[in-house]
Amino acid sequence: MGRYILAPDVALRSWEGSPSTYIRRESARPMRLTRDMFDTALLCDGAHDLPGSAALARLLEGGVVRHCGPEESLTNWQRHRAYPCRVTPWLALEITDRCNYNCLHCFNAADESKPQEELTFEQILTILDGAEAAGVQAVLITGGEPLLHRSFRDIVRAIYERDMFIHEINTNGSMLDQDMIDFLRSMGKLPELKISFDGLGFHDWMRGKAGAERDALRAFELCAGEHVPFRVQMNVNKVNLPSLRDSLLCLADLGAPRIRVIRTTMTPRWQKNVPDGCLSWEEYYETALENAAWYAGRHLKPELNFWHFITLKPDSRTYRLDRVRCQPSAFREELPICPTLYGMPAVGANGRIYPCLQYSGTMDFRGVCLGNVVQTGLLPLLMGDKYGSIAHARVRDRLDRGDKCAGCRYHPWCAGGCPALGYLADGKDFLKHDPSACLFFENGWAERVEKALRDWIDLTPVR
């Protein structure tokens, strides 16, 4: 017999359909336990004497529980909480549409004709209360430029006061300074800052703001010097493509830990400002492969991701194909149609709820609304069928509707691809397969990557 207690960073949680899980603080990802292990963990509160058992041994081995010291007890955050909705550990929150840049591709640009919307601090508090009631652990803050919100610091404090944390802030970096970093550090573990940068010599043009490149480079230097986790997000298109390699070398020299290169999406604003500026998917894949192979041949440290194509990890000389969702041995029709949709609702500055932020611009342009959290509250929408039929859709839902995935030999690897990109291409169906994923597999890009990176280890083989 002995007394045991949950590890300091562990809490027990239950959601509808997932009644036996635990989370680790500042991770938020729920981890499943067997019912026997969960019931045992419920008694690991420092107040019960427990006999040895196989379940207890597994909990100790996994670092979920530990031997209890004198007069130790669980914190309020650690105690078991049950929620009435499906698993919802993350929330993406667009606190404002306002931005100090006029980005050529963005529907939140400062000179857009649509009204610039912003959630009030009181509305955000209500949303956060709903998030807490849904079991949200981590919040992504975005905009517009979120640091423009007059209550930004109060919003940050409100998140941490509810035993949640911020795992990412999307910013252009123009308002980032030492005082802001010190403030964020005072909240606990620093969130990752995702800072936009669209290429040496092109960033001012792309962002519609003189001095934007200078401010972004200054922000990178500040983050690197202060050991702030940050990721650089770089658009690539036909205009700025010549700067890609020099930009990657510059960012590596500045100490960027992670770099993400994304294909500039064909938004209505981008089509108006830069007609024919987008790379086709085939051109984008070619660009990604050529530059990934070039990057792999150099001794550069940053992790490099080409959106929806490949992620290179130079420290281990490994790579993952972003289009590979799983291996056939692990494929099941019960898998969520998208792991991001499942558990990370997005709320816009207009109060509308979206399956994810990638849907937001397209849905707003087409006048499609799944509900407004300002009007009804977050929890009722999370529990409703209108949002849930998309966010909690399974792979089998596509197959049951006769989608072309049913006859595709690559389906056990890709599971139909990104539903947001499918919706963008189709215009009507939220669960439509992603044609750019079809292009990736049917045109042999996995094999081309394997050939180009033969000295690296493929963690996602397609064979």
Side-chain angles (χ1 to χ4, degrees), residues 161-411:
E161 286 168 359
R162 287 160 176 76
D163 270 334
M164 296 183 282
F165 68 94
I166 300 171
H167 70 97
E168 182 180 307
I169 298 174
N170 294 342
T171 176
N172 59 35
S174 63
M175 301 177 67
L176 191 65
D177 58 19
Q178 184 67 54
D179 185 60
M180 178 59 68
I181 288 176
D182 291 342
F183 166 71
L184 293 172
R185 182 175 277 122
S186 72
M187 295 292 104
K189 181 181 177 182
L190 281 164
E192 181 179 61
L193 303 182
K194 188 163 71 177
I195 305 173
S196 303
F197 180 68
D198 297 322
L200 294 169
F202 290 90
H203 190 60
D204 285 9
W205 165 77
M206 187 84 176
R207 297 288 156 177
K209 183 76 171 181
E213 179 173 319
R214 175 201 63 220
D215 288 343
L217 295 176
R218 175 194 55 77
F220 301 148
E221 291 178 341
L222 177 62
C223 288
E226 288 293 316
H227 305 289
V228 175
F230 71 101
R231 175 172 29 160
V232 180
Q233 178 147 298
M234 180 179 176
N235 272 276
V236 66
N237 49 67
K238 290 181 180 178
V239 180
N240 72 350
L241 182 57
S243 74
L244 178 57
R245 293 187 180 182
D246 285 343
S247 299
L248 292 176
L249 292 173
C250 173
L251 294 171
D253 286 343
L254 287 173
R258 302 171 68 192
I259 304 169
R260 186 188 194 199
V261 180
I262 66 173
R263 170 183 176 264
T264 304
T265 304
M266 198 176 297
T267 62
R269 179 175 171 82
W270 178 253
Q271 287 180 295
K272 174 185 175 181
N273 287 323
V274 191
D276 301 319
C278 278
L279 296 166
S280 69
W281 276 105
E282 194 75 25
E283 291 170 330
Y284 170 69
Y285 288 155
E286 189 68 49
T287 293
L289 178 56
E290 288 180 359
N291 287 283
W294 168 84
Y295 192 88
R298 279 148 182 80
H299 299 289
L300 302 173
K301 293 183 179 181
E303 174 185 296
L304 177 63
N305 167 245
F306 280 93
W307 178 69
H308 283 305
F309 190 77
I310 192 173
T311 300
L312 296 172
K313 293 184 175 290
D315 58 343
S316 58
R317 292 184 66 81
T318 61
Y319 68 88
R320 301 185 64 87
L321 297 174
D322 289 6
R323 290 297 189 176
V324 176
R325 169 83 180 276
C326 59
Q327 292 296 309
S329 60
F331 174 79
R332 296 177 293 109
E333 291 184 6
E334 292 300 311
L335 288 173
I337 199 169
C338 172
T340 300
L341 294 190
Y342 189 83
M344 189 174 179
V347 175
N350 52 16
R352 292 181 177 182
I353 191 171
Y354 305 96
C356 88
L357 287 173
Q358 284 199 75
Y359 278 101
S360 62
T362 308
M363 288 176 61
D364 288 348
F365 182 72
R366 292 172 179 161
V368 178
C369 179
L370 301 179
N372 192 299
V373 301
V374 173
Q375 298 169 1
T376 65
L378 178 61
L379 195 57
L381 292 177
L382 293 179
M383 298 174 66
D385 291 338
K386 199 171 184 180
Y387 165 82
S389 63
I390 303 167
H392 300 295
R394 304 288 177 167
V395 169
R396 69 167 184 271
D397 294 328
R398 274 188 178 136
L399 304 181
D400 290 345
R401 292 158 59 178
D403 194 280
K404 70 168 283 188
C405 296
C408 179
R409 77 180 189 90
Y410 296 110
H411 191 237

